[in-house]
Amino acid sequence: MEAFVRQVAVLLAKDVLVELRAGELIYATLLFSAIVVLLFSFAFLGGSPPTIEVTAGVLWVGLALAGMLGISRSFEREREADTLRALLLSPVSRAALYLAKMLGICLLMIAVCCVVLPALGLLFGLHIERIGLLLGLLALGILGFAAVAALFGASLGRARVRELLLPLLVYPLTVPVLLAGTRGTYAVLYGTEQSLLDAARWLRFLLVFDATALLCGLWLFEPMTAQE
Amino acid sequence: MSGLDEVEAQGVVKDYGRQRALCGVSLRLAAGQSTVLLGDNGAGKSTLLGILATLVRPTRGRVLFGGHAAESLEPGALRAQIGLLSHEVRCYGDLSARENLRFFGRLYGLRAALEERVASLIERVGLAAAADRPVRTFSRGMLQRLALARTLLHRPRLLLLDEPYTGLDRDGVTLLSHLLDEERRRGALLLITSHDLDVVAPLCDQALLLRRGRIVASARFAPGTCTATELARLCTAEAES
């Protein structure tokens, strides 16, 4: 177990170090997420202020769009120098590889949240009272999204049009995450006793989704990354 | 898993869709021996190396590592004994040579002696002056030296080398030949593909000619007796027959 945790830590630390050196992924993703929120805000210029349904939707759409941009690029980087093959040839367990990639995606999407949430506060007047509940929803939503994206990101291998395939595979499979995240966020922002109960239900739903996605990812990563 | 002293491919077939890349290839690699795999482009050499490296699954047939089928062995322990040098460098361009080797060393579980091993390999492959520069600034020859260091880092028993001399200058070629000879003396199993017969001949204990996915000719040599002429004869004899 200790060796497994060490493998995950080594792989994750490498991803972070490479990104700190290159910087291309994080800056592009954060800028893109800010632009997404800004573009949505233009739709409400001069009109009535956006409803909390809209705000909740923009939060999750921004996360999903910006997250996918970063995820595609992070896997593409592994393929450019064929380093993904070097990782697959090494003795690290496929589960460690999967978890490290998933955690890397989580870190990236957490960074996106750090841009999108203040931007929503500024442009959409987002006011959060139950921050703990919202962070719980975001954490579970990000985990579910990353669990699916990491599986397909690595396993598309040398497939042609993989940049196109990745969102085509990941978005439909993460519809439950985006739906639960949006409805849950709306319920948290609405803030009544009944809506908070709804939010708790969406949290439980995300928990079940995450557990299922994670188990499937750990189980399927090895056969899906086996070459040809 | 104990030290790997024999690798045997038995009737390995590989299909890519309707295209057959390997048609029942059988071969045996022994400890302390170097096998040179000859063949034109598209003969199936890289596919065979991929299968022996456990990266590519054969459609039919099997590969025995130390007498055991790959599926029956613990994958991590098996892969820890394999080193594959291919056309791609497989190192991170934004990290330095030292950081790349450190990272791969950790993946292979080298802990106590990691820094020492990394430093000695960097020195050995002649990258000491550039060890802390980002790899993306390296020339093709320097990248090949780094790839070689990465391949040898964990002292693999089975060394699979796909055109290892590509991009190397004369000093690099001499260095690589020395290193491979050292590995052979250490008891490693070497399988080398190359079109440069002059360079690989001194290392060759066994030569195999792969053509359209089949081994069509083979020859064995006493240590140090193989010449480029004999390897060329092996290729042409088959073509004439």
Side-chain angles (χ1 to χ4, degrees), chain A residues 9-204:
Chain A
V10 167
L11 288 161
L12 184 61
K14 180 269 300 170
D15 276 350
V16 172
L17 182 61
V18 169
E19 183 47 36
L20 286 176
R21 290 284 162 76
E24 52 175 4
L25 208 64
I26 191 80
Y27 295 131
T29 308
L30 295 186
L31 187 66
F32 182 74
S33 62
I35 289 171
V36 168
V37 178
L38 191 67
L39 287 176
F40 273 112
S41 76
F42 289 160
F44 302 100
L45 272 180
S48 55
T51 60
I52 50 175
E53 286 99 325
V54 171
T55 309
V58 172
L59 168 64
W60 285 90
V61 167
L63 257 180
L65 290 179
M68 183 57 69
L69 179 78
I71 293 160
S72 302
R73 182 66 201 130
S74 80
F75 283 107
E76 204 48 44
R77 193 154 60 189
E78 290 282 9
R79 283 191 199 93
E80 276 170 3
D82 208 23
T83 44
L84 195 58
R85 270 200 155 203
L87 298 182
L88 293 173
L89 186 64
S90 75
V92 292
S93 81
R94 300 297 193 252
L97 194 52
Y98 169 72
L99 282 182
K101 280 288 162 206
M102 191 199 74
L103 291 174
I105 294 169
C106 286
L107 286 181
L108 186 72
M109 292 186 74
I110 288 169
V112 171
C113 273
C114 293
V115 169
V116 171
L117 281 176
L120 283 174
L122 196 68
L123 299 167
F124 286 74
L126 173 69
H127 177 66
I128 311 160
E129 281 178 9
R130 314 263 176 183
I131 186 82
L133 206 50
L134 182 63
L135 290 181
L137 271 169
L138 284 168
L140 289 179
I142 285 172
L143 189 65
F145 193 85
V148 175
L151 177 63
F152 288 103
S155 60
L156 284 176
R158 296 179 178 195
R160 280 179 298 170
V161 295
R162 55 182 172 266
E163 298 90 344
L164 188 67
L165 275 177
L166 186 62
L168 283 178
L169 288 167
V170 172
Y171 281 139
L173 287 170
T174 52
V175 162
V177 172
L178 300 176
L179 189 71
T182 308
R183 296 308 300 165
T185 305
Y186 164 72
V188 171
L189 297 179
Y190 202 64
T192 65
E193 204 170 308
Q194 183 56 44
S195 73
L196 290 177
L197 284 174
D198 280 347
R201 261 197 295 275
W202 287 117
L203 261 178
R204 282 196 294 274

Side-chain angles (χ1 to χ4, degrees), chain B residues 14-29:
Chain B
K14 180 65 194 174
D15 294 333
Y16 292 105
R18 294 162 78 181
Q19 179 88 24
R20 179 151 289 186
L22 293 176
C23 318
V25 170
S26 297
L27 60 85
R28 187 175 166 277
L29 308 175

Side-chain angles (χ1 to χ4, degrees), chain B residues 13-223:
Chain B
V13 173
K14 180 65 194 174
D15 294 333
Y16 292 105
R18 294 162 78 181
Q19 179 88 24
R20 179 151 289 186
L22 293 176
C23 318
V25 170
S26 297
L27 60 85
R28 187 175 166 277
L29 308 175
Q33 282 196 358
S34 166
T35 300
V36 172
L37 187 61
L38 304 166
D40 299 333
N41 295 333
K45 301 189 295 292
S46 297
T47 300
L48 182 58
L49 261 61
I51 288 173
L52 294 174
T54 73
L55 278 175
V56 178
R57 278 198 198 127
T59 309
R60 276 208 308 276
R62 61 182 190 162
V63 181
L64 301 178
F65 295 90
H68 305 282
E71 308 80 55
S72 68
L73 297 168
E74 203 279 304
L78 175 58
R79 287 197 296 264
Q81 302 214 39
I82 300 173
L84 173 66
L85 178 65
S86 63
H87 304 290
E88 296 89 1
V89 181
R90 294 179 180 162
C91 287
Y92 294 91
D94 291 303
L95 302 185
S96 67
R98 196 185 304 280
E99 286 167 336
N100 267 291
L101 293 181
R102 216 179 262 154
F103 165 66
F104 283 107
R106 286 185 186 128
L107 284 192
Y108 279 89
L110 307 179
R111 294 172 77 187
L114 176 62
E115 288 303 321
E116 208 177 302
R117 177 77 178 143
V118 167
S120 76
L121 265 176
I122 285 175
E123 187 73 40
R124 191 79 179 87
V125 298
L127 287 177
D132 297 305
R133 257 170 50 193
V135 165
R136 66 182 139 74
T137 64
F138 281 17
S139 68
R140 181 69 187 91
M142 291 166 83
L143 288 172
Q144 190 68 1
R145 285 168 186 249
L146 176 60
L148 175 66
R150 181 184 53 71
T151 307
L152 299 177
L153 184 65
H154 57 290
R155 295 190 175 90
R157 289 284 297 171
L158 173 61
L159 261 171
L160 305 165
L161 305 138
D162 198 357
E163 301 289 349
Y165 293 94
T166 308
L168 290 176
D169 56 19
R170 195 176 298 176
D171 286 348
V173 168
T174 310
L175 169 75
L176 177 57
S177 292
H178 275 294
L179 283 172
L180 295 184
D181 194 40
E182 273 177 27
E183 291 300 315
R184 183 170 61 157
R185 287 171 199 278
R186 185 175 64 83
L189 300 83
L190 273 70
L191 180 62
I192 309 166
T193 76
S194 182
H195 297 289
D196 197 341
L197 305 184
D198 288 317
V199 175
V200 289
L203 287 168
C204 180
D205 298 307
Q206 178 183 212
L208 304 170
L209 177 63
L210 195 63
R211 188 155 285 163
R212 292 194 201 95
R214 291 177 204 279
I215 290 183
V216 292
S218 65
R220 285 188 174 277
F221 304 95

